[in-house]
Amino acid sequence: MNKDKHHHGDLREALISAGIGLMEAGGPAALSLRKCAAKAGVSHAAPAHHFKGITSLKAAIVARSYKIFAETMQTHRHGLTEPRARLVAICEGYLAFARSHAALFQFMFQPFPPDFAQINPPILAELEQYSTLAYRELEQACAPFAPIGGQEGGIEVMVWSLVHGYAMLFASAPEARTPAGTPPDFAQILPAFPLRK
Amino acid sequence: MNKDKHHHGDLREALISAGIGLMEAGGPAALSLRKCAAKAGVSHAAPAHHFKGITSLKAAIVARSYKIFAETMQTHRHGLTEPRARLVAICEGYLAFARSHAALFQFMFQPFPPDFAQINPPILAELEQYSTLAYRELEQACAPFAPIGGQEGGIEVMVWSLVHGYAMLFASAPEARTPAGTPPDFAQILPAFPLRK
DNA sequence: TCTTTAACTTGACACTGTCTAGTTAAAGGA
DNA sequence: TCCTTTAACTAGACAGTGTCAAGTTAAAGA
């Protein structure tokens, strides 16, 4: 741990972990550059040498979230080869992540603030990498099925919209606030879908 | 306008309008109690007499957003009686709002922070009222169609999830970042849906 | 060993939300 | 009309935030 040394050793990683911890404990609003620094045991200005600003740290946290997100879906579909079962498993992984990492899930899909440009390029690349990784999971699960409306990629957009909307509205919310009672399980919704091989 | 008078006249309304203006100009992060007060021409502590804290002001802004949201859907479905056309129109209204009021749309569907309790009860009631109003639009548009999976309300959840997910991912985002090109129009997706009367 | 560079600290600044105390204006009662 | 009460606002202070500038300390390279 490099105790008492001037260099922290792996401050970058420590800051990301601290940030995720803060968000999971108190929601996205609980994230603060200074609190992350304190949790990592460094001064309040230390993060500046690893992240250009708080937007950069946020981007790094989102990148990390996408990584966990993709891994969750991978775990769920592992070993399944039958197309329909595989797609269902991917959706279950999607919803499982939204439930168990509610704060991160909400944070990931928030549009980025206008100061996007200040994010360090390597962080941007990492973000791109893992979000693509997650998207590929969904894409591959949809691949066996015939396109909808003749448009390429239409089926992914349809399934993605459905599972994402459900996750946002019912899985990740603190209380699934449907004015009309408890929503049905997603497992009852997806099978009603017109998926043809 | 009650110029030079001690009382503003309608500060509450002015603060909500100012808040919406700020958010539409610079995104949700641009909202600040002090900036709202400045825009309304009062001191920085004046809002405290109308909103218990910034969470209350945010709730009031969300309530107002739901009102506009419901009205947008009403306008779109106006005059349509054929069930399918009506449902399509409601969805178009949903997406139109997400596009034209992107910041508000994102903000509305963000889960509330833990300090929910500090929100003034009348604001909470207003929020409840308008969000229910918006939900009723969708509910009524779905009513003519047969339930899915035997579960009551299943069709609403399905349609709502689909249009909401699409709105979040493709309509309200600054750039619809699908790793695989431009997403298809929603008009091509909904018709593929298994809706029976 | 000297120089350079990266990692971090310290201190300051403007900005945020919120609290307390004071002021000003309107409203109600005699 | 005068007095009291109350609501609406101002002014000032406080802790917390992100960010910048300058200094320090440690590691790396020649």
Side-chain angles (χ1 to χ4, degrees), chain A residues 6-8 11 43-45 49-50:
Chain A
H6 186 74
H7 285 59
H8 177 282
L11 181 54
S43 81
H44 68 267
H49 287 260
H50 298 272

Side-chain angles (χ1 to χ4, degrees), chain B residues 2 53 57 69 95 112 120 132 139 146 152 155 157 160:
Chain B
N2 286 337
L57 173 59
F69 183 44
L95 295 174
F112 268 93
N120 313 31
T132 303
E139 192 184 36
E152 196 64 33
I155 183 103
V157 169
W160 193 14

Side-chain angles (χ1 to χ4, degrees), chain B residues 6 27 91 94 97 111 121 133 139 169 175 192:
Chain B
H6 186 74
C91 290
Y94 203 108
F97 179 84
L133 202 67
E139 192 184 36
L169 294 169
E175 293 180 16

Side-chain angles (χ1 to χ4, degrees), chain B residues 6-8 11 42-45 49-50:
Chain B
H6 186 74
H7 284 60
H8 177 281
L11 181 53
V42 293
S43 82
H44 67 270
H49 287 262
H50 298 272

Side-chain angles (χ1 to χ4, degrees), chain A residues 135-160:
Chain A
Y135 183 72
R136 289 275 173 272
E137 284 293 325
L138 212 132
E139 192 183 36
Q140 283 166 19
C142 288
F145 301 97
I148 285 179
Q151 176 118 14
E152 195 66 29
I155 182 101
E156 288 141 43
V157 169
M158 179 161 148
V159 172
W160 194 13

